[in-house]
Amino acid sequence: MEQMDNLRKKFVSPGVPLEHPLVIVRGENEFLYDDTGKRYLDFTSGIGVTALGHANPELIKAADEQLHKLWHVCVHVTSYPSYLELAMRLSENVKMSGEKMVALFNSGAEATENAAKISRQVSGKTYIISFIGGFHGRTSLALSMTGKYIPYKIGFEPLTPNVVHIPFPYCYRLPVKDEDECVDIVMSIAEQVVNVSLSSQAIAAMIVEPIQGEGGFVVPPKRFLKELESLAKKNGIYLIADEVQTGYCRTGHFMAFEHFNMDPDMVTLGKAIANGLPLSAVVGKKKIMEKVVSGSIGGTYGGNPIAAAVAIKVIEVIEREKLCKRAEALGKIIAERFNEMERKYEVIGEHRGLGIMRAIELVKSKESKEPNKKLTIRIIEEARKRGLLLLKAGYYGNVIRLHPPLTISESSLINGLEILEEALRASL
Ligand SMILES: Cc1ncc(COP(=O)(O)O)c(C=O)c1O
């Protein structure tokens, strides 16, 4: 372990962050094992990626079979079955209206970046509206759309221009009396940006995470996304749902936008799509996607045959095992526990989430709502000592978010929640 630590210090740029000072050598469903053989319960899933668990045997088999047939050919050079089949499966499973077309990439950032590029090219307009506290990745346009400056943007400007950020209905942190007022205020700002500060003639797209992920699992009131969609449609603006973190059943539906009865024009997917092999996708309405200029999108590796074969199997397993329903059921267990903890501890300002995607926001007191980042870090350390890996998030780094695999056993989930509460008590 010490030797590995030294290797990281000596050879890996500190620009790449590290949440847990561990060297993990093996995984098995909800468990990870470090180089000393210590076992950890994994509530991170590599940041919401390994939704079907580590070393899933069916996925290994799918990867292995494809590995022996074809690793790479590049979809710009020839077609191959796994790319085509996955494109069809995603068109069928991502439930926006009308016919759809797909393009595959390697990372979430590439998906959001390409969705924005497509909206600019096809609409002939340039402005993109995104949200304060939103996260869309680290490449230039994706980073421009990301609504948080520190640490992501430090020293990287100028970024891609013509991106405007507006507030997200993070009602806990807005001075409002209820959710309706929260949506009213946020929508009136959105309307002014669309029609006064900018114009429908200038705005290509709005990009929104149905639930802000890195922002701290901020769930908007139900009305909000539908009203945003109406504003977009009324003004001829494409609506992009960034489902990189929320997709693949984490919220209890295959896509989180389904909770809000929303009909986006494009959807970006990543993370859980191939359970950890690098893959991402833009699924868009055919009337937009068919107009993209040939050769203007894509890339050498996008939709790699092995990643695509695994992604097809991921969809098959999710359907067969009814993992969306399972995420909802497991989410209820977490919600009950978090509700109880919220009542019990002055430092839990709010618990929120949908499905298994749940978080607690830590504050100095319920009344002040002052973010408590130090306590958040302490709890994560105490949990790690007790064999549980957690992740923080949030506008102010004061949210603990849960990303267990959808395949976690109920007893491990309950055990993890026990450890989390113990760690919180030990940190007070
Ligand atoms: C909603 C969302 N979009 C985009 C990204 C970027 O994905 P990647 O890190 O694969 O580039 C993330 C990553 O956390 C994300 O949560």
Side-chain angles (χ1 to χ4, degrees):
M1 165 79 180
E2 205 170 292
Q3 193 201 352
M4 289 283 174
D5 264 356
N6 287 338
L7 290 182
R8 177 135 186 169
K9 278 190 200 111
K10 199 161 168 198
F11 295 114
V12 180
S13 164
V16 182
L18 178 66
E19 183 78 41
H20 293 288
L22 298 175
V23 178
I24 294 298
V25 295
R26 190 167 71 82
E28 204 180 320
N29 199 19
E30 70 265 50
F31 297 110
L32 288 172
Y33 296 85
D34 74 7
D35 54 352
T36 68
K38 182 166 174 180
R39 189 175 87 165
Y40 293 88
L41 181 52
D42 183 15
F43 274 18
T44 75
S45 295
I47 321 190
V49 171
T50 50
L52 304 193
H54 298 286
N56 183 302
E58 275 188 274
L59 302 186
I60 292 174
K61 187 162 175 276
D64 189 50
E65 279 172 13
Q66 183 61 48
L67 193 60
H68 285 87
K69 278 194 274 194
L70 184 75
W71 287 27
H72 179 74
V73 64
C74 182
V75 77
H76 300 200
V77 178
T78 74
S79 294
Y80 47 91
S82 57
Y83 193 110
L84 304 180
E85 191 184 333
L86 179 60
M88 182 182 74
R89 298 302 303 267
L90 290 175
S91 303
E92 288 164 1
N93 281 277
V94 178
K95 303 243 177 290
M96 28 219 290
S97 66
E99 285 184 80
K100 284 151 272 179
M101 290 179 113
V102 173
L104 301 176
F105 304 95
N106 302 289
S107 65
E110 269 186 273
T112 60
E113 178 116 8
N114 277 284
K117 280 165 64 183
I118 290 167
S119 69
R120 281 179 169 169
Q121 190 186 69
V122 174
S123 71
K125 301 186 276 183
T126 62
Y127 275 89
I128 311 283
I129 292 180
S130 64
F131 287 85
I132 294 170
F135 185 83
H136 303 290
R138 288 177 165 89
T139 55
S140 182
L141 175 50
L143 189 52
S144 275
M145 298 190 295
T146 289
K148 189 177 182 190
Y149 195 87
I150 296 171
Y152 311 118
K153 302 192 188 189
I154 297 170
F156 290 155
E157 286 160 309
L159 299 171
T160 311
N162 291 14
V163 174
V164 172
H165 299 107
I166 62 174
F168 193 76
Y170 184 2
C171 306
Y172 178 69
R173 294 216 166 268
L174 288 174
V176 291
K177 67 175 186 307
D178 57 26
E179 286 200 336
D180 276 332
E181 194 180 24
C182 179
V183 177
D184 290 345
I185 287 175
V186 167
M187 281 312 300
S188 71
I189 294 170
E191 190 276 326
Q192 287 183 3
V193 170
V194 167
N195 291 313
V196 183
S197 153
L198 294 171
S199 151
S200 59
Q201 295 166 42
I203 307 165
M206 292 183 183
I207 183 164
V208 64
E209 294 163 86
I211 298 173
Q212 288 191 328
E214 298 303 303
F217 289 11
V218 183
V219 186
K222 201 132 195 162
R223 267 175 62 199
F224 169 67
L225 288 168
K226 203 67 202 160
E227 290 191 20
L228 192 70
E229 182 188 321
S230 303
L231 182 66
K233 299 249 145 93
K234 207 162 86 191
N235 289 282
I237 298 166
Y238 294 140
L239 185 60
I240 305 167
D242 182 355
E243 295 266 7
V244 167
Q245 191 155 166
T246 47
Y248 280 80
C249 294
R250 197 147 280 284
T251 65
H253 280 304
F254 188 56
M255 292 293 131
F257 73 75
E258 295 169 42
H259 286 280
F260 302 93
N261 198 21
M262 197 185 163
D263 186 25
D265 297 296
M266 274 179 267
V267 176
T268 54
L269 307 174
K271 290 192 183 284
I273 186 170
N275 212 56
L277 291 187
L279 186 72
S280 65
V282 175
V283 182
K285 295 202 167 163
K286 185 175 175 186
K287 60 184 186 210
I288 300 168
M289 300 296 277
E290 69 185 359
K291 294 196 184 112
V292 184
V293 174
S294 174
S296 66
I297 61 167
T300 304
Y301 292 120
N304 165 271
I306 302 164
V310 170
I312 294 164
K313 185 57 79 175
V314 165
I315 294 177
E316 193 186 308
V317 175
I318 280 181
E319 283 173 352
R320 189 191 67 220
E321 303 294 324
K322 300 188 173 40
L323 289 180
C324 288
K325 281 222 149 40
R326 185 150 205 275
E328 200 185 319
L330 295 175
K332 281 196 182 125
I333 298 176
I334 306 175
E336 264 175 37
R337 184 69 182 239
F338 277 179
N339 280 337
E340 202 185 297
M341 284 168 65
E342 190 182 322
R343 279 194 298 273
K344 216 153 81 183
Y345 299 102
E346 180 62 14
V347 291
I348 299 182
E350 182 175 68
H351 135 244
R352 52 181 180 255
L354 271 180
I356 204 169
M357 186 175 181
R358 294 195 177 262
I360 46 174
E361 172 149 2
L362 294 145
V363 291
K364 297 210 169 137
S365 74
K366 286 193 198 298
E367 206 202 329
S368 75
K369 296 189 179 177
E370 201 184 325
N372 201 337
K373 186 175 175 182
K374 273 197 186 133
L375 177 65
T376 310
I377 293 168
R378 243 186 349 256
I379 296 171
I380 291 173
E381 283 173 5
E382 288 295 334
R384 183 175 61 244
K385 285 188 212 158
R386 292 163 171 79
L388 172 69
L389 299 185
L390 294 168
L391 283 175
K392 68 175 178 320
Y395 288 29
Y396 308 102
N398 65 321
V399 173
I400 292 179
R401 57 174 154 165
L402 304 194
H403 261 320
L406 311 180
T407 51
I408 189 172
S409 72
E410 222 175 279
S411 61
S412 286
L413 182 69
I414 292 167
N415 183 32
L417 294 169
E418 286 290 334
I419 298 175
L420 171 56
E421 187 167 352
E422 238 179 81
L424 187 150
R425 271 201 306 269
S427 306
L428 289 174

